[in-house]
Amino acid sequence: MDLSKLKQKPYNILIVIIVIIILYNATPIKKIFNTTQKPLFSIGSIFYNAGNRINNLWVGFTQGQALQKKVQEQEQIIANLVAKNAKNTFEDKKIQDAEILAQTNQTLNINTIQAKVISYSKLSGEQVIYINKGLSDGVNENFPVITNTGILIGKIIKTSSNNSIARILTSPNSVIAVTILENESIHSIIKGKLGLSLVMELIPQDADIKVGDSVIASILEENTPQGLLIGTVASIKYIEAELFKTAQIEPAISVSNVSTVGIIIP
Amino acid sequence: MSITILLISLFSIWIDIFLIPGLTDIYHIHTGIIAVIILLIYRHENAALFTSILYGLFLDTIIINVAFGIFLLIHFLMWLILRPFIYNLISSKRQSVLFIAFISSMAYILIFNFGIWAGNYFFADAEISFKLLISFKKIIISGVLNIILLFFILHFSKILIDFIKKWVFVKSTSRI
């Protein structure tokens, strides 16, 4: 190996890297990278599914597969019932007011695209899922992502021609405008906390909020139909001297178990 | 050799970004950098450089929520840092391969996450907390997981290759 050549090489390579970055941002070379994404994701999806299966086998081996299956079935039933209940109650409440009914019909008449979850990652510091639908399918940034049962799990933050990245609600930078199903006069925001849970902030001290209340997407949230279920209130933190109180929200579903999602086209 | 480098980079990406997140959502394994460390330990300097750059390029292609070029620059920088670092450790002749890999992995995790934080801070509107990305526990766990993987790769790759050769050989003769 000629070491004298290698001494010069780092600078040449650095120049090449800088040229690639400039070309990527200034020319249509970006399209080539987008094209290479597709096979990377397609084969990657096989690896992700294999990982999921190995994980299921391991869980089955350690905890008992039958028990795991039963728990998953029960979780799915609970999620379905909670989502159905939230939707029905929300619709029932809106039917009472004819003027809001028209608006509700308009907002609940959602158009979704079914998409497959390719991978789940926390590598970039954000908790994200990779989805196999992109700009060519009509998916754009800031579109809401829901489960098959209609639970809001995140929003699209980046799109390429064939794939998208959705930020999960529990991700640190996620902020969503929400309200309480049992008391829709409360408008607040929920933020992701350490990629693990959700915190509801800016709740007025006099707001009537209880443990077990359902948290739904607010009409104030951009591109998002009002009434999509997010989770339930797990605990409320009240400090006397402060203007607002905070609540810990338990997400309605664990995103790591989701394999297909719906992207709402506003 | 170039195809081997491409395959190493591709499989590292598929393992790190797809297989491991399918297995667990808690830990990360950086197979790409393990490959670079192994190549550097065995003095395949050019192969290590190109594996590192390709791995960075693939990460940039896949992780589109981080500004393009961040991973490319991080991995080039890693090669620049790891090369003299590993060579100095090897030349001292008192350090084991696993110790070198452990220290290198920890250095990588630190620089990798610092790069993501800096990239987000300067080029994206979404700011990620530095504390969330880098913690002492995370660095140690990732370092330990990396050396476990490296241990398996180093000790079982030869056995696996021999097994495959034997299996292929037996298969081919049985057909004859």
Side-chain angles (χ1 to χ4, degrees):
Chain A
M1 194 180 287
D2 190 355
L3 285 168
S4 60
K5 274 185 184 175
L6 272 165
K7 277 180 187 171
Q8 297 293 323
K9 200 179 264 181
Y11 305 104
N12 294 340
I13 289 168
L14 186 63
I15 291 164
V16 171
I17 290 172
I18 291 166
V19 168
I20 291 172
I21 295 169
I22 293 167
L23 286 173
Y24 181 87
N25 290 298
T27 66
I29 200 172
K30 195 176 181 176
K31 283 179 184 171
I32 299 169
F33 284 98
N34 284 342
T35 315
T36 55
Q37 259 182 9
K38 202 169 184 180
L40 280 174
F41 275 115
S42 303
I43 301 170
S45 163
I46 299 166
F47 276 82
Y48 182 68
N49 289 335
N52 255 329
R53 280 180 190 167
I54 296 167
N55 185 34
N56 287 342
L57 274 174
W58 175 249
V59 171
F61 181 71
T62 53
Q63 295 176 15
Q65 205 161 8
L67 185 67
Q68 172 70 9
K69 202 178 171 184
K70 204 172 178 182
V71 169
Q72 275 178 353
E73 280 170 7
Q74 293 300 319
E75 273 181 353
Q76 191 60 46
I77 290 165
I78 291 166
N80 286 345
L81 286 171
V82 171
K84 201 177 170 185
N85 181 41
K87 273 180 192 167
N88 287 343
T89 320
F90 182 72
E91 281 166 29
D92 290 346
K93 283 178 82 178
K94 294 296 165 190
I95 287 165
Q96 289 168 7
D97 192 326
E99 199 179 320
I100 302 169
L101 179 66
Q103 192 188 357
T104 309
N105 284 342
Q106 198 184 346
T107 49
L108 288 182
N109 187 18
I110 54 174
N111 180 22
T112 59
I113 298 175
Q114 282 288 318
K116 195 179 160 194
V117 177
I118 303 170
S119 186
Y120 167 86
S121 175
K122 288 197 281 189
L123 209 62
S124 61
E126 294 254 40
Q127 211 178 3
V128 293
I129 49 170
Y130 295 86
I131 297 165
N132 73 337
K133 294 281 157 80
L135 284 168
S136 56
D137 304 287
V139 177
N140 230 317
E141 284 177 21
N142 221 15
F143 283 9
V145 180
I146 57 169
T147 62
N148 287 342
T149 50
I151 297 164
L152 182 67
I153 54 167
K155 280 198 143 185
I156 302 287
I157 53 166
K158 280 274 175 185
T159 48
S160 64
S161 56
N162 298 307
N163 302 290
S164 311
I165 291 185
R167 180 192 283 141
I168 293 162
L169 296 183
T170 48
S171 186
N173 278 318
S174 166
V175 180
I176 300 277
V178 292
T179 185
I180 298 291
L181 180 69
E182 289 78 7
N183 187 354
E184 276 185 66
S185 60
I186 301 169
H187 284 282
S188 172
I189 55 161
I190 55 161
K191 288 182 175 177
K193 192 184 173 190
L194 300 168
L196 298 167
S197 63
L198 298 164
V199 178
M200 192 168 170
E201 293 181 354
L202 304 173
I203 310 165
Q205 290 285 24
D206 58 344
D208 182 23
I209 175 173
K210 299 181 289 297
V211 172
D213 282 356
S214 299
V215 180
I216 56 170
S218 162
I219 197 162
L220 301 172
E221 183 59 33
E222 192 189 2
N223 289 340
T224 310
Q226 189 185 8
L228 289 175
L229 183 72
I230 290 166
T232 49
V233 178
S235 64
I236 301 157
K237 194 178 170 188
Y238 170 82
I239 299 169
E240 207 170 315
E242 287 185 7
L243 280 172
F244 300 101
K245 53 187 173 185
T246 57
Q248 200 79 25
I249 308 299
E250 192 182 337
I253 196 157
S254 167
V255 176
S256 56
N257 296 330
V258 176
S259 56
T260 52
V261 290
I263 302 160
I264 298 176
I265 308 295
Chain B
M1 187 68 180
S2 55
I3 290 173
T4 316
I5 291 167
L6 180 72
L7 285 174
I8 289 171
S9 313
L10 275 172
F11 275 96
S12 302
I13 284 292
W14 286 325
I15 291 168
D16 296 352
I17 308 294
F18 298 99
L19 184 72
I20 301 299
L23 277 168
T24 170
D25 56 353
I26 303 166
Y27 303 112
H28 287 305
I29 290 176
H30 300 273
T31 334
I33 209 63
I34 293 171
V36 173
I37 291 167
I38 292 172
L39 288 165
L40 279 172
I41 288 171
Y42 291 99
R43 302 254 174 185
H44 295 292
E45 203 160 332
N46 282 339
L49 171 64
F50 290 114
T51 305
S52 189
I53 287 174
L54 263 179
Y55 183 71
L57 191 67
F58 285 138
L59 280 177
D60 270 323
T61 311
I62 289 173
I63 304 175
I64 50 174
N65 59 330
V66 175
F68 182 87
I70 297 287
F71 292 112
L72 205 53
L73 286 169
I74 288 172
H75 286 83
F76 175 66
L77 186 71
M78 273 319 299
W79 179 81
L80 277 182
I81 293 167
L82 285 181
R83 188 177 56 140
F85 178 71
I86 288 175
Y87 286 177
N88 281 337
L89 282 175
I90 291 170
S91 63
S92 71
K93 289 182 181 176
R94 275 176 292 178
Q95 313 296 353
S96 74
V97 170
L98 289 180
F99 175 76
I100 295 167
F102 182 63
I103 301 291
S104 308
S105 295
M106 290 203 300
Y108 173 75
I109 307 296
L110 202 68
I111 292 171
F112 182 85
N113 287 300
F114 180 77
I116 290 172
W117 174 80
N120 275 304
Y121 188 83
F122 292 110
F123 303 110
D125 52 352
E127 202 177 306
I128 309 284
S129 157
F130 192 66
K131 278 182 185 172
L132 187 79
L133 281 167
I134 301 170
S135 68
F136 183 71
K137 191 183 165 190
K138 189 177 175 179
I139 293 167
I140 295 290
I141 289 173
S142 296
V144 169
L145 285 173
N146 279 356
I147 59 161
I148 291 168
L149 193 68
L150 184 105
F151 177 82
F152 275 95
I153 292 170
L154 289 178
H155 285 80
F156 293 101
S157 58
K158 198 178 177 301
I159 298 166
L160 189 71
I161 290 164
D162 288 346
F163 176 78
I164 291 167
K165 275 181 184 172
K166 197 178 173 184
W167 185 76
V168 172
F169 176 73
V170 169
K171 278 271 180 191
S172 58
T173 50
S174 66
R175 273 191 214 121
I176 296 161

